[in-house]
Amino acid sequence: MKPFTQLNGLVCPLDRANVDTDAIIPKQFLKSIKRSGFGPNLFDEWRYLDHGEPGMDNSKRQINPEFVLNFPRYAGAQVLLARDNFGCGSSREHAPWAIEDYGFRAVIAPSFADIFFNNCFKNGLLPIVLSTEVVDQLFSEAEATEGYQLAIDLEQQTVTTPAGQSFSFDITAHRKHCLLNGLDEIGLTLAHAEEIRVFEEKRKAQQPWLFV
Amino acid sequence: MSAQSLYDKLWQSHVVREEADGTCLLYIDRHLVHEVTSPQAFEGLRLANRKPWRNHSIVATADHNTPTDHWDQGIQDPISRQQVETLDANIRAFGALAYFPFKDERQGIVHVVGPENGATLPGMTVVCGDSHTSTHGAFAALAHGIGTSEVEHVMATQTLVAKKSRSMLIRVDGQLGQGVTAKDVALAIIGKIGTAGGTGYAVEFGGSAIRGLSVEGRMTLCNMAIEGGARAGMVAVDDKTIAYLKDRPFSPKGEQWDAAVEYWKTLVSDEGAQFDSVVVLKAEEIEPQVTWGTSPEQVLAVNGRVPDPAAEADPVKKGSYERALQYMGLTANTPLTDIPVDKVFIGSCTNSRIEDLRAAAGIAKGKQKAANVKLVLVVPGSGLVKRQAEAEGLDKIFIAAGFEWREPGCSMCLAMNADRLEPGERCASTSNRNFEGRQGQGGRTHLVSPEMAAAAAIAGHFVDVRTFA
Ligand code: SF4
């Protein structure tokens, strides 16, 4: 996993609440057995005017000029600014894979759906919860100012505007540690393999029917 | 010891270790696997040269990509076929307690297959790379969906890194009226708390109306906990739970059964248990529900009218109402019962069990689908459900009514196979998500109960099933 430390990134504002993972990456792209290559189909049904299928040459497709991701001013954006309940619906990890593959490293919203939020951390993507008022402010600033960037510092747990206004965000110590160092969580857990084994033996003795 | 909730008990009995910040390693008893969210996890194991910690925790099936007709011709779509064959190969290589591949007589939707085989038991932690894993909470199991990285983590370590959620009790008191089902309860709850209302919570459903539901009804309800934002929904053990599990293939037998039952009976919230949030609904006030928009919270009782965005003060809500009406091709203030449907889908892990099919057949018996309805798909949740339905003659009732009787699978719930809506087509569906494009690009989904779906198929538009004869 790519570590996440600091980022100074262009902000793309996606002004919709309840953006679900079906919209982030439509089901036809879930047939892939790979982890990469989902970026060109991120928000496929909003981003293109024609219907997308896996294997199509996306550079030849008809893009939707009215969808925010396609505005020239947001090309190369690394911070996705979103509304409430972002990432709701299906558990598909293809959603954070697509967002990350497109080039985003952080998503800021007033709230996220649980599974999506969790999935982000496994992929070097930082989801940041800020209050509705702050997110409102960032939306107005990002929409008003071309080239609007936010500075994100994971160590300090802050998001800073170009005017120097800083907002702090929460993250658990465990997630922060993994993200800062780009750690493989499975390796970390297996360091406790003995504890897991002891627990399992005890469980087997108490509820043998679970171990057929 | 102070009074514990069911969630407290389930959580506590699975904690292997806890970090200072509350992050826990949680032991996982049952791992359900399907073809869409597992290939990258198996690949990860292979790349790191790891083996599953306990492959007998795994029960797998292929459901999302499988066709629902012409099984003799196999899977036509080559990428779908590759995904299903990848699962076949991975299970062969890594092993499992059970695998129900494409065409197996016990194949079906993973959330139907698990419980009917007794692979989901009270007191278990159950995970699957699928958000509707919440379904299994109907058996007083701690069950929730996980992402593919976590699928790999569970395979490699038999644990999940997790933090305890807050707890919510949703109590439904009283008795449901005739024609009002578990699906209507689920939709009414989501209408009340919103699709993010349960975010960060583990939800227990309680109250006399929940006790009154069958085990299958409780599965329908827990299935949709995720649509209310809660990763896990659960119902306490009672006699119905135990009766349902008796003699299932993977249920304990003999002395172990007795010991298990004794333990399972403790899987209830203690008197006086504390919850971080309590929501109460009156069963008598719940009516048959129909969604009108593109989010499950955009739902109304069948006798309602499409809302008017102009009457909405909150600008974010107003915007989403306007977009929903435009996408759904609806005009404000239209009575829901005036909305005609093009297709009807009876199936999905929400409503494809035998009781759902009996209920739909009860409405369709001796009637004909309306001329304006192009297709009524009835897709049983599993091969076992299909055979049971055929033994009861339900297939004949559906076919006589002009409905199509298909092979089991996810089908038009998410349209990964050939079953889908065309742009602009409107569907009465017993599935769980009415998101834009969910049942096919440009398709318009209205979520309803199996009874309401069957009635809409006959009438050609939504009708109140309570007065439908
Ligand atoms: S039936 Fe629908 S919701 Fe259920 S597992 Fe299949 S695709 Fe998911």
Side-chain angles (χ1 to χ4, degrees):
Chain A
M1 185 175 85
K2 249 192 265 176
F4 188 110
T5 49
Q6 286 171 331
L7 171 74
N8 214 338
L10 181 69
V11 178
C12 177
L14 178 65
D15 197 359
R16 296 186 184 203
N18 298 313
V19 170
D20 60 79
T21 53
D22 276 76
I24 296 173
I25 183 84
K27 69 223 141 213
Q28 60 270 33
F29 304 105
L30 271 49
K31 294 178 187 181
S32 164
I33 55 172
K34 300 207 183 69
R35 245 175 219 270
S36 55
F38 295 101
N41 301 107
L42 173 67
F43 299 120
D44 198 274
E45 290 186 6
W46 294 341
R47 212 160 126 202
Y48 302 97
L49 292 170
D50 55 352
H51 176 72
E53 282 295 334
M56 279 171 111
D57 180 353
N58 291 297
S59 66
K60 301 220 170 80
R61 292 176 59 196
Q62 227 187 326
I63 74 153
N64 174 7
E66 282 168 31
F67 183 56
V68 67
L69 220 59
N70 292 329
F71 295 4
R73 63 184 273 194
Y74 297 123
Q78 289 184 289
V79 179
L80 184 63
L81 187 60
R83 294 288 188 190
D84 264 316
N85 201 25
F86 187 82
C88 60
S90 151
S91 63
R92 60 189 70 165
E93 198 162 317
H94 313 67
W97 292 339
I99 295 173
E100 200 269 345
D101 194 58
Y102 179 86
F104 288 111
R105 295 297 320 273
V107 186
I108 300 176
S111 63
F112 291 89
D114 288 338
I115 303 179
F116 175 84
F117 188 72
N118 211 27
N119 282 341
C120 286
F121 292 102
K122 321 282 177 188
N123 296 286
L125 186 65
L126 176 61
I128 297 175
V129 178
L130 295 176
S131 71
T132 306
E133 295 72 46
V134 172
V135 171
D136 279 346
Q137 179 192 329
L138 298 182
F139 263 100
S140 339
E141 292 179 5
E143 281 162 2
T145 324
E146 206 161 324
Y148 185 83
Q149 295 205 343
L150 285 172
I152 299 170
D153 187 327
L154 178 56
E155 182 61 53
Q156 299 300 317
Q157 299 181 215
T158 54
V159 175
T160 308
T161 69
Q165 203 180 355
S166 254
F167 305 100
S168 57
F169 60 88
D170 283 338
I171 181 170
T172 64
H174 176 85
R175 282 174 169 156
K176 183 172 170 179
H177 177 70
C178 288
L179 213 47
L180 279 173
N181 299 292
L183 292 178
D184 164 17
E185 213 172 40
I186 295 178
L188 281 184
T189 298
L190 285 176
H192 306 297
E194 200 40 47
E195 267 175 273
I196 301 172
R197 225 164 265 130
V198 168
F199 182 93
E200 192 169 57
E201 286 308 317
K202 205 175 72 194
R203 196 158 176 74
K204 211 182 274 181
Q206 285 168 347
Q207 297 183 45
W209 59 86
L210 297 177
F211 293 81
V212 289
Chain B
M1 205 163 54
S2 61
Q4 286 187 306
S5 67
L6 170 59
Y7 177 55
D8 293 332
K9 293 178 187 183
L10 292 171
W11 180 268
Q12 215 173 60
S13 58
H14 289 87
V15 175
V16 176
R17 58 175 280 122
E18 183 166 353
E19 311 279 339
D21 71 348
T23 304
C24 291
L25 267 190
L26 210 60
Y27 187 81
I28 301 303
D29 297 309
R30 175 66 67 230
H31 190 179
L32 302 168
V33 170
H34 67 68
E35 79 275 18
V36 180
T37 53
S38 65
Q40 297 87 351
F42 282 114
E43 187 58 22
L45 284 187
R46 220 173 254 125
L47 289 173
N49 213 356
R50 289 177 177 133
K51 283 194 167 34
W53 179 284
R54 182 160 72 85
N55 61 9
H56 269 205
S57 66
I58 297 173
V59 171
T61 191
D63 52 9
H64 285 61
N65 279 282
T66 55
T68 57
D69 58 358
H70 305 300
W71 270 15
D72 52 319
Q73 293 168 22
I75 303 174
Q76 293 297 308
D77 176 351
I79 5 186
S80 286
R81 189 170 61 236
Q82 185 195 23
Q83 202 167 53
V84 172
E85 287 172 354
T86 301
L87 180 62
D88 293 342
N90 281 329
I91 297 294
R92 258 199 313 275
F94 291 98
L97 172 67
Y99 180 41
F100 307 117
F102 175 47
K103 293 191 191 178
D104 187 278
E105 59 176 15
R106 287 199 273 168
Q107 177 266 350
I109 306 171
V110 66
H111 308 307
V112 176
V113 165
E116 75 182 0
N117 283 287
T120 303
L121 297 173
M124 275 184 168
T125 40
V126 180
V127 295
C128 175
D130 194 286
S131 59
H132 292 100
T133 311
S134 57
T135 310
H136 307 265
F139 296 90
L142 179 56
H144 59 75
I146 55 177
T148 297
S149 296
E150 291 176 316
V151 169
E152 184 183 340
H153 191 279
V154 171
M155 283 178 180
T157 71
Q158 212 56 43
T159 63
L160 195 64
V161 178
K163 257 189 114 166
K164 197 172 177 192
S165 304
R166 285 170 291 169
S167 61
M168 180 186 284
L169 173 67
I170 299 182
R171 217 177 65 215
V172 188
D173 295 327
Q175 210 179 349
L176 295 173
Q178 167 263 331
V180 181
T181 70
K183 180 65 163 285
D184 302 303
V185 176
L187 288 169
I189 289 171
I190 296 162
K192 185 176 167 103
I193 68 171
T195 48
T199 303
Y201 289 97
V203 170
E204 177 176 348
F205 297 101
S208 44
I210 307 299
R211 300 258 73 86
L213 289 176
S214 68
V215 170
E216 294 194 359
R218 296 171 190 178
M219 283 193 251
T220 301
L221 185 60
C222 289
N223 175 273
M224 292 198 70
I226 185 70
E227 259 56 68
R231 276 178 96 169
M234 64 199 88
V235 176
V237 167
D238 64 6
D239 292 345
K240 289 182 187 171
T241 325
I242 293 167
Y244 179 95
L245 291 168
K246 184 109 181 87
D247 298 327
R248 303 264 163 190
F250 295 118
S251 291
K253 309 275 170 346
E255 272 173 33
Q256 289 207 0
W257 169 260
D258 299 335
V261 168
E262 198 182 323
Y263 170 62
W264 293 347
K265 286 186 171 160
T266 67
L267 297 173
V268 297
S269 285
D270 297 334
E271 189 74 35
Q274 296 296 309
F275 293 87
D276 297 305
S277 172
V278 177
V279 175
V280 181
L281 282 85
K282 285 204 181 73
E284 287 77 11
E285 290 173 3
I286 300 175
E287 299 182 79
Q289 306 280 305
V290 181
T291 64
W292 54 268
T294 53
S295 162
E297 70 185 13
Q298 293 173 333
V299 65
L300 284 169
V302 58
N303 292 311
R305 286 168 184 267
V306 175
D308 188 350
E312 199 40 65
D314 174 0
V316 175
K317 237 185 183 168
K318 184 179 177 146
S320 69
Y321 277 23
E322 280 167 352
R323 212 168 27 242
L325 290 196
Q326 198 201 4
Y327 181 86
M328 293 297 289
L330 292 174
T331 318
N333 300 315
T334 308
L336 294 176
T337 49
D338 280 1
I339 301 173
V341 299
D342 303 307
K343 287 183 177 169
V344 175
F345 173 61
I346 299 173
S348 89
C349 56
T350 315
N351 283 128
S352 64
R353 298 178 185 83
I354 191 67
E355 290 175 12
D356 300 314
L357 301 186
R358 284 180 193 140
I363 299 284
K365 190 165 188 176
K367 302 205 177 67
Q368 272 298 313
K369 80 169 173 64
N372 64 304
V373 177
K374 290 183 256 185
L375 175 73
V376 184
L377 267 187
V378 187
V379 183
S382 72
L384 294 184
V385 171
K386 180 167 191 252
R387 259 189 295 151
Q388 176 68 27
E390 288 173 352
E392 296 178 19
L394 305 184
D395 57 325
K396 302 219 168 52
I397 295 176
F398 291 131
I399 292 164
F403 297 8
E404 290 202 16
W405 178 242
R406 294 288 185 91
E407 303 290 350
C410 293
S411 180
M412 208 162 75
C413 171
L414 97 164
M416 254 180 109
N417 67 2
D419 309 334
R420 66 186 63 169
L421 298 180
E422 296 304 320
E425 278 182 343
R426 188 180 300 287
C427 180
S429 177
T430 67
S431 56
N432 43 47
R433 287 189 176 136
N434 51 349
F435 299 158
E436 288 185 18
R438 172 80 179 181
Q439 296 193 292
Q441 197 190 25
R444 295 161 171 166
T445 302
H446 296 266
L447 304 176
V448 288
S449 71
E451 287 88 330
M452 287 283 290
I458 306 295
H461 53 84
F462 293 105
V463 282
D464 186 343
V465 73
R466 293 170 299 183
T467 51
F468 183 75

